[in-house]
């Protein structure tokens, strides 16, 4: 329930402020606002109250929200008013440049919101990120798919497309979004080119988890009940030093060693306190014993840049722009069929499942800023039904001097809404199906 509450809070903040951007610019140019809704009121609304000329309300369907402007064909697809003579207070009566500003008002507010949140966060708690340099001091460990793509355990990633990334989380994303990866391997620099097919396999099977820090040794954090590890007598805190007499330095070497003994018995040299024990264990068919290795302590690798307000302002602008660029790159990746990245687009249901199950204001505000940039980018897309679609037709009108007829605008808006609703239905359906599968199987 905490995850649901978080995503509803974040969506509510973003939708209200996005629509307020349309509302305030419409009022600036004296356009009548008939409705201002959080979420969609298809058929009925949960709450509504008319104040002045505007009906304020909350819809029952948590899919965005809208403001209904007089004299405009929008999400409501109300075309009846377009059959009457234009009135001075209507959207269609205003000059093209004013209509363009109204259409871009929500996007502008989303960008300003992200910049404002980042500014406040940097000036109070600081700019925090996991250091690439610190986390790969011992090199990196790669999953099976990562190694198939050409990476090797112990590699250090130096740059992607010629750019070094100080943030480890961003660096792993850069690898999936970039083309040429430069790594340091055994003291030498090696260039790697990742194909769309390689990226597709990484995304579908391992995601950003295809790379992780290289842990020194193997330390048992917890033992799975009734597992081979429990039968063998492994306990929390045990340090596994050798398998069948072969000593290793890194956890990935341990994993590689026991994977060679699937369904076979092995001998473990274990350090428990100051005592060295020899334990007999059987490896299961997946090449595992059944324990969880001690996880990464992110605080050991975290960098926190404390900033003054004056320093935070330009840093927040830079971060907002950087996130917008990442959205463009991710969209381009989705459009490349061989990567199959389109299969991993998530609805708010899928996003909510990835949120922490504890309420953390620092995380929530940072995520809100990130999501706000994503919402701005999505609405910039020149797709009928989105702000970018309306803006595109208005820009064409300003260039050519010819306005799209109301009838054609109605058809375009209807077509765009059908596309958007279909995509939303597919995305929500996929995430709901996965939720049911995870709960029942």
């Amino acid at each position: 329930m905490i995850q649901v509450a978080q995503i509803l809070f974040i969506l509510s903040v973003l939708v209200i402020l996005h629509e307020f951007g349309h509302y305030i610019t419409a009022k600036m140019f004296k356009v009548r606002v008939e409705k201002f809704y959080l979420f969609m009121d298809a058929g009925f609304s949960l709450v509504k109250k008319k104040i002045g000329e505007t009906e304020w309300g909350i819809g029952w369907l948590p899919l965005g929200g809208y403001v209904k402007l007089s004299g405009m064909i929008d999400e409501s697809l109300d075309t009846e008013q377009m059959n009457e003579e234009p009135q001075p207070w209507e959207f269609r009566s205003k000059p093209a440049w004013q209509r363009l500003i109204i259409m871009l008002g929500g996007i502008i507010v989303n960008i300003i919101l992200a910049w404002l949140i980042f500014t406040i966060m940097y000036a109070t708690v600081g700019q925090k990120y996991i250091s690439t340099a610190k986390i790969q001091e011992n090199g990196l460990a790669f999953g099976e798919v990562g190694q198939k793509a050409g990476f090797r355990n112990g590699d250090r990633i130096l740059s992607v497309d010629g750019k070094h990334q100080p943030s480890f989380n961003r660096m792993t994303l850069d690898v999936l979004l970039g083309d040429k990866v430069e790594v340091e391997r055994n003291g030498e620099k090696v260039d790697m080119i990742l194909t769309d097919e390689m990226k597709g396999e990484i995304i579908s099977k391992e995601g950003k988890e295809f790379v992780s820090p290289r842990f020194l040794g193997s330390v048992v954090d917890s033992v799975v009940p009734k597992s081979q590890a429990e039968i063998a007598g492994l306990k929390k805190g045990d340090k596994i030093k050798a398998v069948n007499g072969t000593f290793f330095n890194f956890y990935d070497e341990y994993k590689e060693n026991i994977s060679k003994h699937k369904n076979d018995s092995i001998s473990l040299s274990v350090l428990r306190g100051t005592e060295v024990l020899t334990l007999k264990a059987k490896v299961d068919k997946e090449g595992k014993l059944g324990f969880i290795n001690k996880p990464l302590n992110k605080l050991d690798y975290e960098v926190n840049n404390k900033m003054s307000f004056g320093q935070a302002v330009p840093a927040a602008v830079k971060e907002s722009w950087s996130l917008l660029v990442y959205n463009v790159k991710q969209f381009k990746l989705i459009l490349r069929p061989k990567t199959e990245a389109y299969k991993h687009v998530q609805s708010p249901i899928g996003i909510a499942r990835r949120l922490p199950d504890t309420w953390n204001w620092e995380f929530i505000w940072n995520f809100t800023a990130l999501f706000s940039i994503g919402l701005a980018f999505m609405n910039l897309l020149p797709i009928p039904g989105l702000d970018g679609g309306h803006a595109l037709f208005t820009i064409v009108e300003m260039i050519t001097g010819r306005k799209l007829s109301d009838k054609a605008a109605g058809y375009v808006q209807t077509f765009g809404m059908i596309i958007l609703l279909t995509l939303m239905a597919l995305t929500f359906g996929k995430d709901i199906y996965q939720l049911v599968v995870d709960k029942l199987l």
Side-chain angles (χ1 to χ4, degrees):
M1 289 302 294
I2 294 292
Q3 292 172 319
V4 174
Q6 287 180 99
I7 196 65
L8 285 176
F9 173 80
I10 292 168
L11 286 175
S12 297
V13 170
L14 293 178
V15 170
I16 289 172
L17 292 178
H18 177 89
E19 298 305 330
F20 180 76
H22 295 307
Y23 174 84
I24 195 65
T25 49
K27 300 299 285 185
M28 281 171 49
F29 299 121
K30 296 181 170 50
V31 175
R32 180 177 293 173
V33 181
E34 298 178 8
K35 287 186 175 184
F36 188 123
Y37 263 78
L38 169 64
F39 304 146
M40 307 303 288
D41 60 329
F44 67 95
S45 56
L46 298 177
V47 178
K48 65 178 179 179
K49 182 176 178 60
K50 190 161 187 177
I51 303 175
E53 62 187 23
T54 306
E55 178 181 302
W56 303 77
I58 301 176
W60 63 273
L61 189 61
L63 299 177
Y66 70 98
V67 292
K68 179 171 171 46
L69 307 179
S70 296
M72 176 183 176
I73 302 174
D74 55 13
E75 294 91 337
S76 65
L77 300 178
D78 179 10
T79 58
E80 290 185 12
Q81 59 183 324
M82 309 303 285
N83 297 325
E84 301 176 1
E85 287 295 317
Q87 300 298 320
W89 61 80
E90 290 187 332
F91 177 80
R92 56 178 168 165
S93 300
K94 302 302 177 180
W97 68 271
Q98 292 184 5
R99 286 185 275 121
L100 180 62
I101 291 174
I102 294 172
M103 283 299 95
L104 296 178
I107 295 170
I108 293 169
V109 167
N110 281 134
I111 294 173
I112 292 174
L113 173 64
W115 165 74
L116 182 61
I117 290 175
F118 284 134
T119 298
I120 294 173
M121 296 302 292
Y122 293 170
T124 53
V125 299
Q127 183 188 42
K128 299 178 181 180
Y129 62 90
I130 302 300
S131 168
T132 298
K134 287 185 178 182
I135 214 164
Q136 58 179 0
E137 285 178 349
N138 296 314
L140 299 169
F142 297 86
E144 181 179 346
V145 178
Q147 293 188 49
K148 184 179 177 182
F151 292 101
R152 297 290 178 267
N153 289 334
D155 284 354
R156 291 181 176 88
I157 297 178
L158 302 177
S159 66
V160 178
D161 293 339
K163 181 181 178 182
H164 172 71
Q165 175 56 257
S167 168
F168 179 70
N169 291 336
R170 292 278 173 85
M171 185 267 287
T172 58
L173 186 58
D174 284 346
V175 171
L176 297 177
L177 297 177
D179 294 311
K180 187 174 78 170
V181 182
E182 183 184 48
V183 303
E184 179 187 320
R185 180 178 299 162
N186 299 323
E188 297 182 357
K189 293 182 179 180
V190 178
D191 287 336
M192 296 176 52
I193 304 295
L194 296 184
T195 65
D196 284 355
E197 289 84 357
M198 291 175 183
K199 293 178 182 179
E201 196 168 358
I202 290 173
I203 291 169
S204 62
K205 293 183 179 179
E206 294 176 345
K208 289 195 295 184
E209 304 302 320
F210 83 98
V211 58
S212 60
R214 205 176 191 202
F215 291 105
L216 281 170
S218 178
V219 182
V220 178
D221 186 64
S222 61
V223 177
V224 178
K226 300 181 180 179
S227 65
Q228 295 299 326
E230 185 180 64
I231 295 171
L234 278 173
K235 295 182 179 180
K236 180 175 181 177
D238 283 353
K239 298 178 181 179
I240 302 175
K241 309 299 289 184
V243 175
N244 288 343
T246 301
F247 288 83
F248 55 87
N249 294 316
F250 299 101
Y251 178 62
D252 58 88
E253 294 174 336
Y254 155 79
K255 287 175 63 178
E256 184 178 351
N257 197 315
I258 68 163
S259 67
K260 299 175 183 178
H261 300 281
K262 295 177 181 179
N263 289 321
D264 196 6
S265 296
I266 58 174
S267 174
L268 300 174
S269 295
V270 176
L271 178 64
R272 182 176 295 167
T274 58
E275 184 181 6
V276 178
L277 306 174
T278 300
L279 302 178
K280 299 295 183 181
K282 184 175 182 180
V283 183
D284 65 19
K285 62 181 180 181
E286 295 180 353
K288 298 178 180 179
L289 291 180
F291 71 88
I292 298 174
N293 200 58
K294 187 176 180 180
L296 165 74
N297 184 357
K298 292 185 177 181
L299 293 178
D300 293 338
Y301 304 94
E302 187 177 79
V303 171
N304 187 358
N305 290 333
K306 297 285 187 178
M307 300 183 187
S308 66
F309 184 79
Q311 293 171 322
V313 171
V317 171
K318 182 178 179 181
E319 177 69 359
S320 299
W321 172 253
S322 177
L323 287 174
L324 196 58
V325 171
Y326 271 107
N327 273 276
V328 174
K329 289 181 178 181
Q330 290 179 80
F331 186 70
K332 289 169 65 177
L333 191 70
I334 290 171
L335 294 180
R336 287 152 66 176
K338 291 182 179 179
T339 67
E340 296 188 340
Y342 61 88
K343 294 182 179 179
H344 302 275
V345 176
Q346 292 186 315
S347 71
I349 293 175
I351 295 171
R353 296 185 66 201
R354 297 171 60 187
L355 297 177
D357 53 9
T358 56
W359 196 274
N360 183 320
W361 280 113
E362 183 179 340
F363 173 87
I364 288 172
W365 287 120
N366 277 311
F367 191 83
T368 300
L370 184 150
F371 211 161
S372 191
I373 293 294
L375 185 61
F377 170 75
M378 183 185 73
N379 275 281
L380 268 174
L381 296 176
I383 299 173
L386 295 177
D387 295 342
H390 291 293
L392 176 63
F393 289 123
T394 306
I395 292 171
V396 171
E397 177 190 339
M398 294 170 69
I399 294 173
T400 64
R402 299 182 61 182
K403 185 178 181 181
L404 193 67
S405 70
D406 293 338
K407 185 175 182 180
Y411 287 141
V412 169
Q413 182 72 11
T414 301
F415 177 70
M417 290 302 297
I418 290 173
I419 292 176
L420 290 175
L421 290 173
T422 300
L423 291 174
M424 289 173 67
L426 291 173
T427 307
F428 270 86
K430 173 180 69 68
D431 287 341
I432 291 171
Y433 170 78
Q434 191 61 52
L435 177 63
V436 172
V437 169
D438 291 346
K439 292 294 184 181
L440 297 181
L441 299 182

